Amino acid sequence: MKPREHFGSRFAVIAAMAGSAVGLGNIWRFPYILGQYGGAAFVLVYIVASLLVALPIFFAESVIGRRSGTDTFGAMKKLAPGTPWKWAGLLTILSPLLILSYYSVVGGWSVQFLFKALSFNITGDVSESEVVGYFSRFISSTWQPILSHTLFMAMVAGIVLGGIKNGIERFSKVAMPVLLGLILFIVVYSLTLPGSMAGLRYLLKPDFSKLTADAYAAALGQAFFSLSLGVGTVLTYASYVKKEENLVVSGVGTAVSDLVFALVAAFAIMPAVFAAGFEPGSGPGLVFQTLPYIFHKMSQGMPIVSTLVSVAFFLSILAAALTSAISMLEVGVAYLVDQKGMGRRRATLLLSLGVWLLGLLCSLSFGPLSGVKVLGLSFFDLQDALCSNWLMPMGGLVFTLFVGWWMSRADVRDELTNGGTCNVRLFGLVYFLMRYLAPVGIVAVFLSNLFL
Ligand code: PFF
């Protein structure tokens, strides 16, 4: 068997892990939640939630991944032989594949909108109603979204086929800086639009009265989703991290990058939304309807700049979605390679095909299958609700309980401090958070999903 690959540098580790973390959650959810729950006041709560709950879970996954040096199922089998923990590991192989099947549909939408932006179909000589109405017509059609979903999955498979160093690392090292550059370019554009200051006020004005129970729950849920916790991506990537790398530093680096990207995305989007006189919104409507309309409207005055900005915007969405999607596929690929002895090529193609097929249902659930509901939800919404509200927190709970209560303190310390050579003074605190606060935080996420 070939020796297991490793990420080549600390920058590579952080680029890949931040690549997984920075995704649609940062671009279409965070800016909205930020304004809704009190701007700068919410940032404080978000940072506290990240530090006290999300990061400890991130460390827990990192500990399991690097200590075992294998996939999520194998990791549990190796660290807790002869116990049922491995089945929990198996669950976290299935959940990222399930997420990928609908994430890829949205990734496909970004491919389609990128083509539209490139061919001046957003900012060129098109009518306003064409720009606004396009999204609903597009997603409810049959073949075009399937084609886009196929293209997106092909890109994901192409990168993962390259392996850790030549695929995931190489792509993330280029995509993440490019992504930052593109979003900063949009920030500059957005802030120079007349009327954009109202957007800044929306984002920044600290309003402590908005910090309700909802706000705390939103901060916790968002920190959780945004750091891609509980689905084995952190664990799997950590299994490719060299023994001498400092896990605490790469975890903090990832969380800081994730927050920076979320804030920058907020400054790119909300000022433009306010400048155009819109109510702030979130989700697909914001990204694929409101913003194209804004680019169209602004293009009356500055056609070239608006076209460039619209291309930059959809390229950003695509890059952010791709770096997240490859991490989801890698979880399953690592499993097939490590546990079943399958070649990377076969494993990647097999899983991509399965995910692609499941994605077809999600894609069609906006069109021909829109009448088919399970528990009152379309396939797409059902998968999203199942994964974000249940499978992700459940996986997070499994990982923290495993590290906090099953593994020995000495082993956890050994892994997080690299045999007592770093982070020694921090360890007690991190261990306490992993054992007590993180599980309580996850239970709070569950309860808020149930009752809020
Ligand atoms: N963290 C990603 C985001 O904020 O969009 C979402 C995500 C990525 C979820 C990878 C799950 C995952 F495995």
Side-chain angles (χ1 to χ4, degrees), residues 20-26 96 99 103 225-228 231 233 258 324 327-328 392:
S20 169
V22 177
L24 295 166
N26 300 58
I99 300 179
Y103 211 83
F225 184 79
S226 199
L227 277 180
S228 319
V231 275
T233 50
D258 188 49
S324 293
S327 71
M328 300 178 206
M392 289 185 81

Side-chain angles (χ1 to χ4, degrees), residues 372-394:
V372 183
K373 305 271 184 226
V374 183
L375 301 173
L377 297 171
S378 69
F379 284 119
F380 187 100
D381 292 338
L382 181 75
Q383 266 171 245
D384 183 26
L386 179 69
C387 295
S388 312
N389 300 346
W390 299 103
L391 295 180
M392 289 185 81
M394 212 138 83

Side-chain angles (χ1 to χ4, degrees), residues 29-351:
R29 249 178 101 219
F30 184 83
Y32 175 72
I33 302 184
L34 177 57
Q36 194 185 12
Y37 292 119
F42 180 79
V43 175
L44 289 181
V45 174
Y46 186 74
I47 292 176
V48 172
S50 301
L51 285 178
L52 297 186
V53 179
L55 256 180
I57 303 171
F58 192 99
F59 292 146
E61 279 199 44
S62 306
V63 164
I64 306 175
R66 192 176 63 176
R67 186 126 197 113
S68 63
T70 186
D71 64 287
T72 64
F73 180 78
M76 297 298 207
K77 223 169 70 173
K78 193 162 168 182
L79 300 179
T83 67
W85 280 106
K86 59 177 183 286
W87 302 119
L90 199 61
L91 168 88
T92 60
I93 290 170
L94 296 178
S95 45
L97 294 173
L98 216 54
I99 300 179
L100 182 55
S101 70
Y102 67 86
Y103 211 83
S104 162
V105 171
V106 181
W109 297 346
S110 67
V111 175
Q112 175 71 10
F113 274 75
L114 179 60
F115 282 134
K116 262 186 93 68
L118 280 168
S119 55
F120 303 98
N121 265 315
I122 292 175
T123 50
D125 195 13
V126 279
S127 72
E128 205 171 285
S129 56
E130 164 64 27
V131 174
V132 178
Y134 179 73
F135 179 59
S136 356
R137 264 185 291 122
F138 164 64
I139 60 169
S140 57
S141 63
T142 304
W143 296 109
Q144 278 237 312
I146 287 185
L147 180 67
S148 314
H149 159 62
T150 309
L151 280 176
F152 184 84
M153 264 322 289
M155 288 188 244
V156 174
I159 300 166
V160 173
L161 269 180
I164 299 308
K165 259 203 141 76
N166 287 328
I168 294 175
E169 170 173 332
R170 198 195 262 175
F171 181 73
S172 309
K173 273 173 31 184
V174 176
M176 294 313 283
V178 168
L179 178 60
L180 188 60
L182 290 172
I183 307 187
L184 285 174
F185 169 62
I186 305 172
V187 172
V188 173
Y189 164 82
S190 193
L191 287 177
T192 49
L193 296 174
S196 60
M197 287 306 131
L200 269 193
R201 269 195 298 280
Y202 175 75
L203 292 175
L204 285 179
K205 197 167 160 258
D207 184 349
F208 288 91
S209 70
K210 288 193 183 152
L211 290 182
T212 53
D214 275 14
Y216 289 100
L220 214 51
Q222 174 69 12
F224 202 90
F225 184 79
S226 199
L227 277 180
S228 319
L229 301 175
V231 275
T233 50
V234 180
L235 190 160
T236 306
Y237 274 7
S239 72
Y240 300 116
V241 172
K242 287 188 187 138
K243 286 289 178 204
E244 55 275 18
E245 182 55 63
N246 187 329
L247 286 181
V248 173
V249 171
S250 44
V252 171
T254 303
V256 170
S257 316
D258 188 49
L259 178 65
V260 168
F261 273 94
L263 287 172
V264 176
F267 288 113
I269 292 172
M270 285 307 166
V273 169
F274 277 82
F278 277 97
E279 281 297 302
S282 71
L286 171 72
V287 168
F288 297 107
Q289 274 172 322
T290 311
L291 282 158
Y293 175 68
I294 293 171
F295 298 141
H296 177 75
K297 207 168 135 185
M298 301 303 172
S299 70
Q300 315 308 335
M302 315 186 267
I304 300 190
V305 180
S306 300
T307 306
L308 282 177
V309 172
S310 62
V311 170
F313 182 71
F314 290 109
L315 202 55
S316 311
I317 306 267
L318 178 59
L322 273 176
T323 49
S324 293
I326 53 180
S327 71
M328 300 178 206
L329 187 59
E330 180 59 30
V331 175
V333 170
Y335 166 71
L336 290 182
V337 171
D338 290 351
Q339 300 304 312
K340 305 286 168 198
M342 209 181 260
R344 172 167 283 271
R345 171 182 285 267
R346 258 186 83 189
T348 308
L349 294 179
L350 192 75
L351 290 179

